[in-house]
Amino acid sequence: MAIKSISSSLLTRVLSVYFVLTFIVTAVQIGAEYFDTKRILIAELQNQQRTFNGSLTRSLWEFNSDQIDSIADGLIGIPAIAGVLIRDDAGNILVQLGETSEMSDLPEETSEGVLLPERNGVFGYHSSLIFEFSGHSTKVGDVSLFSTRDIAIDRIKVSLGFIIGNALIKSTFLIILFTVAFSRMLSRPLNDLTQQIKSFRLDNLERSRIRLKDQHNNELVLIEQAYNQLLDNIEEYQADLDRTQNKLKAANRQLDEQNAILEQEVARKTSRLSQVMLDLEQRKNELEMRQEKLEREISQRRTMENTLRQSNQRLESSLNHLRETQQQLIESEKMASLGGLVAGITHDVNTPIGISVTAASYLREKLDSLDTALSNKELTQPQLQKFIEEGRESLSLLDNNLHRASDLISSFKQVAVDQASDAIRDINVKRYIEELIQSLQPHLKKTLHKIELNCADDLFIRCPAGALSQIFTNLILNSLRHAFDGVEQGTMTINIELRDSTLHVVYEDNGNGLSEENLGKLFDPFFTTKLNDGGSGLGTHIVRNLVTQTLKGDIDATSEPGHGLTYTFSFPVQVLN
């Protein structure tokens, strides 16, 4: 392995830090010199602008183009100025010489001087030209003087050379100084120390001692003292080792005598142990046979465990797939129910809107007739009186039907939002159920069936209103589709009461009812008595999931054939005072 010198590594690190610091300081000095030169150039641009301001302003006032061009040529000839831009009061360019900034960089309105920031190596000074006449000030244009980064760099070339040369001279001097110092104080003493350590002889410790020259109270002297102390310790250890060896020789002689006695004893006991070893060997063979049998049984059990584990994973995957499919079907059923509400409410809203359109058309015709009679000066008081009566009737018809449509849409809107959301909100239970029943009127109006609601008027609770809406929608539609099949006039009764922060609901109909077999399958997914008639079998399953999971409650159902179906469910609520 290659040995790397400590002095070289230390010298490299010291000089690296010095070079980095020197580079940073030099860069800062160059930057400061550049910005100071840039500031001086901007001051020169300001002075030149003030010098030519009067004559340039008068030339613009008098529209003296030749004089303006002459002034611009004089300005561009100044070494500090790289570009000149002169505009009139309308912003039109009169003179543009040399390197200038974009027009978008110039300020739109200003009366004082403005410094233009450096962009693409060009910076400058902008000022408006104000002509004083009879005590009035008039802006006749503006002038912008520009300088460049190249001009600033040309001015500081000498300073840059001095700064860089100074840094190089100091760096060279320090490199020589550090190299000589490290060589005298570290490299040479270390080499001397290394050579003396290499001449170490265990049989001549006095000659192997280290004797450094020209070292006074530094770390190398401590190394010399520690090394020489180590040699003194080795001398003491060698003396102790000689004494110990003599003791060991005496002990070995005693051990030889004891070994002879022990060998005789071992020979006697070996004969007895041979029989014991034979017995142990036989037992060992029996144990090995039993171990092989156990290993075969363990291998079979592991195979069975792996088979069962794989079967369990496949069953778990199938169960997850079934759950996802069931959730998708439930969401589809929700959207189908909401679609049915949309179709029904659309038909009911079209009727009052159609009546309103007819009344508005009729009122427009009467207005046109009245306007024609008024234009022909044939309008009579009876005609006007008749128009007023007919107008009132039309407006009353419009008002009633539009209010009816508005009520239908409001009820449907809240029910639709609740069915699509799981948000918790505050509701009046009776008013909320009444709005839900109103949204289902399109399904009820074509039948003689009716809904009776028994609930306190002042029952206010906080709950997931969407879940409550979906429960009653499914129960009512199930009664219409299944319970009243073949029944001309049926009744659905909803009884709601509050008991100790628990809402108890009993929903019943006087329809066909269910057999005991079908009642046991009522809440099973995909169970329906109208499989070939569009039934999905998810309505009551969704109701049970909403009550038990969303509302954290319980639900039960009772029925007999020909005596209707009754749902009883309850769930905790937060009562609002």
Side-chain angles (χ1 to χ4, degrees), residues 57-222:
T57 302
R58 180 167 295 278
S59 299
L60 285 171
W61 176 259
E62 296 174 352
F63 299 101
N64 189 343
S65 300
D66 295 336
Q67 183 66 23
I68 293 172
D69 293 339
S70 178
I71 293 173
D73 292 336
L75 287 171
I76 199 68
I78 297 173
I81 299 175
V84 178
L85 178 63
I86 302 174
R87 301 187 301 178
D88 58 17
D89 55 347
N92 298 319
I93 298 175
L94 300 178
V95 176
Q96 185 175 10
L97 300 176
E99 298 184 35
T100 61
S101 296
E102 299 291 336
M103 293 295 295
S104 59
D105 296 337
L106 301 180
E108 295 182 358
E109 294 290 338
T110 180
S111 58
E112 302 294 335
V114 176
L115 297 179
L116 300 177
E118 183 175 342
R119 189 183 297 275
N120 298 325
V122 178
F123 56 90
Y125 180 77
H126 173 86
S127 177
S128 298
L129 299 175
I130 308 299
F131 185 75
E132 302 286 344
F133 182 73
S134 298
H136 297 285
S137 299
T138 303
K139 180 180 177 181
V140 297
D142 56 61
V143 61
S144 301
L145 302 181
F146 299 93
S147 187
T148 64
R149 185 189 301 147
D150 295 336
I151 294 175
I153 292 175
D154 287 337
R155 288 197 175 190
I156 63 174
K157 282 183 178 179
V158 176
S159 298
L160 289 178
F162 176 77
I163 292 172
I164 295 173
N166 184 29
L168 291 175
I169 292 173
K170 290 191 293 184
S171 299
T172 304
F173 176 76
L174 285 175
I175 290 173
I176 296 173
L177 178 63
F178 280 135
T179 302
V180 173
F182 274 75
S183 176
R184 289 184 177 181
M185 300 180 65
L186 191 60
S187 298
R188 292 179 183 175
L190 285 176
N191 289 332
D192 188 15
L193 182 64
T194 302
Q195 294 299 326
Q196 294 189 39
I197 291 175
K198 286 181 178 180
S199 62
F200 172 78
R201 295 287 300 275
L202 186 60
D203 55 351
N204 192 353
L205 296 178
E206 185 62 29
R207 187 177 177 182
S208 300
R209 292 181 179 274
I210 296 177
R211 298 176 178 81
L212 296 178
K213 301 178 181 179
D214 300 328
Q215 300 297 325
H216 305 284
N217 298 328
N218 55 22
E219 288 81 356
L220 295 177
V221 173
L222 294 177

Side-chain angles (χ1 to χ4, degrees), residues 326-345:
Q326 179 182 354
Q327 189 63 30
Q328 292 173 0
L329 289 173
I330 290 173
E331 293 298 326
S332 300
E333 185 69 15
K334 290 182 183 178
M335 296 309 296
S337 175
L338 191 59
L341 291 178
V342 172
I345 203 70

